[in-house]
Amino acid sequence: MTDHSKAPAGVQLRTNAYEDFSGLDATRDKNSLDIGKGQPLLALDNAFCDWRGQIVRDPGANKVAGGEGLIRCVTFATRDTLAWAEDGGDGVTLGSSRGSRLPGAFPKGAGVTTAAFNRRALFLSPGSVPLRFDGAKFEGFTGNVELKPAFGTAIQRRLAVAGIPGKPTEIWLSRVDEEGVHVADEPANSTNVLRAGTIDIGNLLGTNDEITGIGTVENNRLAVFTNDSVWVYIIDPDLTKWSVEDRAAVQVGTISHATICRAGTDLLFCARDGIYSLKRAAENGLVLYAEPLSSRIDNLYRRLVRSVPDPRRISAVWDQDTGQYHVFFPQAGIYCTRLTMTLPPAGVEGGPKWSMGSFLNARCGAALGGALVYGTSGGIWSLVRDEDVVGEQEPTATIITPMLWTGSLKDTKQGHSLILQASGVGAVQVDVIDDEQRPLTSLVVEIDADDREPFPDIPLERQYERQFPHRFRGVQLRFTIQGEARTRLIGFSLNTRKS
């Protein structure tokens, strides 16, 4: 990226390299983000920055199911079977990849969440009796008619549910191994320690807050989210052993149960002001606390939350194979914006890197056993995992840099050349404007340097140099990447003449 062998004799060049990209950064103005090494970006759509600092175009996708209505939520009923809720003419319809359908399962416009218990996929909607799918058919719970929760989670062989109409601070936990049996279904004189039970946090809150979500952390800890806090309970199959975790200090809540995702031993969730991880303190391993993760994009995150008519419809999925947390912000109609947090692999230093995605207008997702699917307004799509495989649909990636000054903010520079360092197979269009928004150049670079070369000792030529004979103070670059294989932008440099 610093080869000047093509420069005319006697011409001295200054190389301004940009590499080790760090993803989106909304903490500063676009005119003050030129740092070169660890370069942040102003826009990153349908691509992400990996832990090496490379910009990687997002994978393509193949349609695998659905297609009759807008998908509200999707889950894996089994490793090979999908089940989902979609908009239908007479309300919300439940469907599966095995052909099972239940029209009018929930009222039109109802919010729907999913849970898994007893190897069944559960569908819950506020004010409605929960439904379950056993891989062949959909059926409702029997028993207590008061059980009409908005969301649930499995913990210690029990199904915990909350968001029950008229009981905004209660969590109901089922009898062990029986998701449909709750307190009202138990004999009044039962002393069985495996019986159903309830937890009421109303008098712990000190405010008139209510439960907004629940999740499982560390297998036996039930995290109970309100708008402003998280309460943690230690749960056991024996209900006499239930207790409050007194080493939890969390003064931030969640805006949507559907954003709560287990990521290893941590619990990721979306709050009003950002994305957090509920985890143990590394210093002593005792205190549970909420670590803020999205401070670099706090303004962007708040704008996305404001763009959603009902924040409770925001959802997320954790993809452990790629270390990515995808958050979906559904706007009015079919449009949806995806925000992605990419974490480094275990043992690799570095914080999260942020990107966005408009591919397929994905509005929900599910992951299991290495597979990741998106629910859209046009069915369910499976993301391509093998980089050798071309998807039925492939995204177009857009990357926009902040204003790059290549030195002083006041001096005018004389450009010489633009060098791209990239790998993969595809086309990269580069459009350049100056600090007065005047277009300077537009060019297309065909990338054909496959980094899966079977002879790694032979270096690959991955640099592409183009003339850039323009005068400027600052420039902003827009990269548009298309192709049929995963393309990586490793870095670029702007070479200017020394005065």
Side-chain angles (χ1 to χ4, degrees):
M1 200 157 62
T2 58
D3 182 9
H4 302 150
S5 60
K6 297 182 181 180
V11 175
Q12 291 186 314
L13 300 180
R14 176 183 290 108
T15 297
N16 305 278
Y18 298 91
E19 56 191 339
D20 190 21
F21 300 104
S22 58
L24 296 176
D25 190 328
T27 58
R28 290 177 286 174
D29 181 78
K30 71 174 183 178
N31 294 318
S32 57
L33 285 171
D34 179 0
I35 62 175
K37 182 76 171 177
Q39 179 60 49
L41 300 165
L42 201 64
L44 184 57
D45 185 64
N46 296 330
F48 65 94
C49 294
D50 67 11
W51 63 274
R52 302 176 184 86
Q54 302 174 117
I55 299 173
V56 185
R57 188 174 67 112
D58 284 346
N62 297 314
K63 189 172 182 180
V64 293
E68 298 184 23
L70 183 148
I71 306 296
R72 288 190 170 273
C73 63
V74 61
T75 188
F76 281 89
T78 69
R79 174 64 181 82
D80 302 312
T81 306
L82 292 168
W84 62 85
E86 66 182 19
D87 284 347
D90 53 353
V92 177
T93 295
L94 300 185
S96 81
S97 54
R98 293 190 178 183
S100 305
R101 290 185 67 79
L102 181 62
F106 300 116
K108 189 173 183 178
V112 183
T113 62
T114 64
F117 194 83
N118 267 344
R119 301 194 61 80
R120 297 184 180 98
L122 310 182
F123 291 86
L124 305 97
S125 181
S128 296
V129 174
L131 297 166
R132 54 192 169 197
F133 177 65
D134 62 6
K137 65 181 183 301
F138 293 96
E139 61 181 7
F141 282 28
T142 58
N144 183 14
V145 294
E146 292 184 2
L147 185 68
K148 297 179 179 179
F151 37 79
T153 188
I155 182 167
Q156 290 291 293
R157 298 167 57 196
R158 296 177 182 269
L159 175 66
V161 296
I164 302 168
K167 304 178 187 298
T169 60
E170 291 187 14
I171 309 100
W172 290 21
L173 291 98
S174 73
R175 182 190 294 173
V176 168
D177 297 331
E178 297 184 54
E179 69 273 20
V181 179
H182 285 262
V183 171
D185 305 307
E186 295 282 11
N189 59 351
S190 175
T191 58
N192 187 343
V193 297
L194 304 182
R195 68 185 184 274
T198 62
I199 295 173
D200 190 343
I201 67 169
N203 290 331
L204 295 177
L205 296 177
T207 67
N208 291 322
D209 207 347
E210 60 185 34
I211 297 172
T212 56
I214 55 177
T216 303
V217 61
E218 297 180 348
N219 298 322
N220 68 338
R221 260 69 174 176
L222 178 66
V224 182
F225 294 80
T226 69
N227 288 287
D228 297 324
S229 61
V230 183
W231 297 83
V232 180
Y233 282 81
I234 301 171
I235 302 297
D236 190 90
D238 182 343
L239 61 72
T240 65
K241 296 180 180 179
W242 297 355
S243 62
V244 177
E245 170 65 80
D246 57 5
R247 290 173 294 194
V250 185
Q251 296 303 314
V252 62
T254 188
I255 54 175
S256 172
H257 166 83
T259 66
I260 301 170
C261 296
R262 292 189 68 175
T265 58
D266 300 344
L267 206 59
L268 301 173
F269 64 96
C270 290
R272 289 191 303 275
D273 63 338
I275 295 173
Y276 290 80
S277 175
L278 182 64
K279 62 192 305 179
R280 290 281 178 189
E283 293 78 10
N284 54 32
L286 298 177
V287 178
L288 276 168
Y289 77 107
E291 177 186 23
L293 299 173
S294 57
S295 56
R296 291 188 64 185
I297 57 159
D298 54 356
N299 293 330
L300 170 62
Y301 176 84
R302 290 189 180 97
R303 288 200 303 271
L304 289 172
V305 171
R306 290 195 300 268
S307 73
V308 179
D310 184 354
R312 292 174 298 180
R313 302 294 172 86
I314 300 171
S315 64
V317 60
W318 166 251
D319 181 6
Q320 72 173 32
D321 285 39
T322 59
Q324 292 181 318
Y325 178 65
H326 303 287
V327 187
F328 306 93
F329 297 85
Q331 279 88 43
I334 65 172
Y335 298 103
C336 189
T337 298
R338 171 174 53 85
L339 176 67
T340 294
M341 175 180 69
T342 302
L343 295 175
V348 176
E349 293 185 0
K353 298 182 179 182
W354 298 92
S355 60
M356 296 182 68
S358 57
F359 183 47
L360 299 173
N361 275 308
R363 56 193 311 110
C364 58
L368 181 68
L372 173 66
V373 297
Y374 287 162
T376 73
S377 59
I380 297 171
W381 295 72
S382 177
L383 278 293
V384 173
R385 293 304 207 186
D386 191 337
E387 296 189 10
D388 292 324
V389 177
V390 178
E392 188 178 328
Q393 293 284 338
E394 290 284 334
T396 297
T398 303
I399 302 100
I400 302 177
T401 72
M403 193 62 66
L404 307 177
W405 302 100
T406 64
S408 169
L409 276 67
K410 298 180 179 180
D411 295 342
T412 298
K413 299 88 178 177
Q414 175 61 56
H416 174 269
S417 57
L418 170 65
I419 298 178
L420 299 186
Q421 189 174 25
S423 66
V425 179
V428 180
Q429 178 175 326
V430 187
D431 299 290
V432 186
I433 62 173
D434 68 9
D435 58 303
E436 297 182 3
Q437 303 301 302
R438 295 176 298 191
L440 297 184
T441 189
S442 180
L443 53 93
V444 176
V445 179
E446 295 291 338
I447 306 298
D448 189 12
D450 196 336
D451 56 7
R452 291 163 295 182
E453 168 66 46
F455 302 103
D457 293 335
I458 302 176
L460 296 175
E461 178 55 57
R462 298 175 181 169
Q463 294 188 175
Y464 301 85
E465 183 172 2
R466 299 292 185 270
Q467 291 185 351
F468 189 71
H470 302 280
R471 291 176 63 82
F472 61 89
R473 282 196 313 156
V475 291
Q476 188 173 28
L477 283 70
R478 177 190 183 103
F479 300 94
T480 305
I481 303 177
Q482 295 178 311
E484 295 186 348
R486 199 75 66 86
T487 306
R488 290 176 169 83
L489 179 60
I490 301 167
F492 66 91
S493 68
L494 283 166
N495 298 324
T496 57
R497 295 174 183 264
K498 290 184 179 180
S499 54

